[in-house]
Amino acid sequence: AKQWVEAIRRLNTISDSLARTLIDLHRDCGSGDGVCDDTEDLDDRPARRAEWGCETIGTIAQHFAIEYPSEMDEN
């Protein structure tokens, strides 16, 4: 869970208004409740994730040079 909290902290450094709107729309992707989630694939919970919750968030993060934290970043 610390990894997901750190990932969100990193996304929260983005101040671009369009990016913020898209992040807000897609923040829950990968939790089972997000707009991009497939209800048949609920095993990809944030605590077990090793990358962004969806392609939209991944694209925004890449554009702003924000990497998803590795497990080693948690320590």
Side-chain angles (χ1 to χ4, degrees):
K2 289 180 182 179
Q3 189 176 12
W4 178 244
V5 171
E6 175 61 17
I8 294 301
R9 187 191 68 73
R10 291 177 183 191
L11 285 178
N12 285 339
T13 65
I14 298 171
S15 61
D16 178 86
S17 63
L18 176 58
R20 292 281 359 130
T21 299
L22 293 171
I23 289 167
D24 289 344
L25 288 171
H26 291 268
R27 182 178 308 276
D28 292 332
C29 293
S31 70
D33 294 324
V35 296
C36 295
D37 289 340
D38 179 357
T39 56
E40 293 179 11
D41 186 22
L42 296 179
D43 289 334
D44 189 24
R45 305 286 186 193
R48 291 182 279 195
R49 189 179 305 143
E51 58 188 43
W52 301 106
C54 70
E55 189 174 350
T56 300
I57 294 289
T59 300
I60 293 167
Q62 182 180 18
H63 178 79
F64 288 96
I66 297 174
E67 293 184 20
Y68 193 84
S70 70
E71 289 183 38
M72 293 181 69
D73 291 341
E74 290 183 27
N75 299 326

